[in-house]
Amino acid sequence: MSAPTLLVLIVSWNTRDLLRDCLRSFQPAAHPEWDVLVVDNASTDDSVAMVRSEFPAVRLIENAANVGYARANNQGLRTSRAPYALLLNSDTRATADAIQGLIAFLESHPDAGAVGPRLLRSDGTAQPFAFGGDPTLFYLLRRGALRVIAGRSLHDWASERTQSVDWVSGACLMVRRTAFEQVGLLDEDFFMYFEDNDWCLRLRRAGWKNYYHPTQAIVHLGGQSLARNPQAQSSYEASLRHFYRKHYGPVAEQVLRLLLPVYARTRP
């Protein structure tokens, strides 16, 4: 059997039914050239048993605890030598054609370190935050002001134009192995949120480009309001503070801390 051309990496935590639908959407058994791997973060909903019984072609890593999104992805990335890796959320629906289209894009754009598709809601409309800019203080203030004053977003997530962007969403992010081997794996100090921003920033600093490629599209059922999930909101803010300490320094982080209560009111 020839070496796999792609690692499809799905981290799951208590998302059995979503995970089943995700795997069904691109049919791993129909693509033996892809190495499909589920890293389970100690689910208690029989996710592991479901994968074993219904998707025998899929590899499994079973963690004894929820080690977080970044660390679990890194576990998977270390197990494969495929030239491309796709980080895919368990609450997505990604067709095989869309995945193949992202591979084709990387193959035809040697400057691309990472590429992400258009993200769609279940009703077919564009989902926010498929891509964006680095979350500097000025960027966050500008984004919040536009939402409050003009009632609109800073970016056009329905854009049909392929473009170089600061980052693409980790919900569906395909990365070139030579690129991430150059900059290193995901930063495991991010438990959840902003690990994709950090990775894409490191790729850009190493000379790679990140592309939003809306010719390919997948459905993402997540990305709902953080305000309805206090635990997720806490993780979001902790990860944003870590991003600031790492990339912008302690003074910027202190300013961010003061502005976070205001910024939280402007988020979707």
Side-chain angles (χ1 to χ4, degrees):
M1 181 177 177
S2 60
T5 58
L6 173 71
L7 169 67
V8 181
L9 179 51
I10 304 169
V11 173
S12 180
W13 179 67
N14 289 327
T15 60
R16 181 193 59 198
D17 295 338
L18 291 170
L19 177 61
R20 175 189 289 115
D21 290 344
C22 175
L23 291 168
R24 283 176 176 170
S25 69
F26 63 91
Q27 292 296 322
H31 300 279
E33 73 279 15
W34 298 348
D35 177 17
V36 182
L37 169 64
V38 170
V39 181
D40 185 82
N41 268 338
S43 294
T44 58
D45 64 350
D46 294 324
S47 290
V48 168
M50 180 277 294
V51 173
R52 281 208 182 102
S53 64
E54 299 182 27
F55 302 95
V58 173
R59 290 197 296 130
L60 267 167
I61 293 177
E62 299 175 60
N63 287 327
N66 184 352
V67 300
Y69 183 76
R71 183 175 172 187
N73 271 302
N74 286 346
Q75 287 178 276
L77 290 167
R78 292 188 182 102
T79 70
S80 174
R81 298 302 304 171
Y84 307 114
L86 176 65
L87 274 56
L88 191 64
N89 278 15
S90 61
D91 58 354
T92 58
R93 307 290 180 268
T95 66
D97 286 346
I99 293 173
Q100 190 58 56
L102 294 177
I103 296 173
F105 183 88
L106 288 180
E107 289 178 339
S108 62
H109 292 77
D111 63 337
V115 61
R118 183 199 308 263
L119 299 182
L120 301 175
R121 297 185 177 100
S122 57
D123 63 4
T125 59
Q127 187 187 86
F129 306 110
F131 66 91
D134 289 331
T136 62
L137 286 170
F138 176 74
Y139 175 86
L140 295 181
L141 288 169
R142 185 178 166 212
R143 192 173 81 182
L146 271 175
R147 175 166 293 278
V148 171
I149 297 170
R152 67 179 181 86
S153 300
L154 183 58
H155 301 288
D156 177 12
W157 289 295
S159 172
E160 297 182 358
R161 179 174 65 90
T162 294
Q163 54 193 287
S164 175
V165 295
D166 287 352
W167 58 266
V168 289
S169 171
C172 182
L173 187 159
M174 188 175 290
V175 63
R176 190 186 304 272
R177 172 166 294 278
T178 51
F180 75 74
E181 284 183 342
Q182 180 181 351
V183 304
L185 297 174
L186 292 164
D187 181 347
E188 296 181 7
D189 286 332
F190 295 99
F191 184 83
M192 183 171 64
Y193 297 116
F194 289 98
E195 66 287 308
D196 45 5
N197 301 68
D198 172 74
W199 216 19
C200 287
L201 177 55
R202 287 189 279 138
L203 287 170
R204 284 172 28 237
R205 286 176 173 170
W208 298 94
K209 289 185 177 180
N210 305 306
Y211 284 96
Y212 171 64
H213 185 47
T215 300
Q216 308 303 331
I218 71 156
V219 173
H220 181 213
L221 301 178
Q224 305 303 310
S225 175
L226 289 172
R228 294 195 294 270
N229 188 336
Q231 185 177 2
Q233 183 173 339
S234 177
S235 293
Y236 181 97
E237 293 181 358
S239 291
L240 183 55
R241 292 197 304 270
H242 174 58
F243 187 96
Y244 266 64
R245 286 193 301 273
K246 180 175 182 177
H247 294 293
Y248 304 145
V251 174
E253 188 208 353
Q254 289 304 312
V255 176
L256 174 71
R257 283 177 180 267
L258 295 174
L259 293 175
L260 269 175
V262 177
Y263 172 60
R265 295 190 186 99
T266 69
R267 286 200 309 260

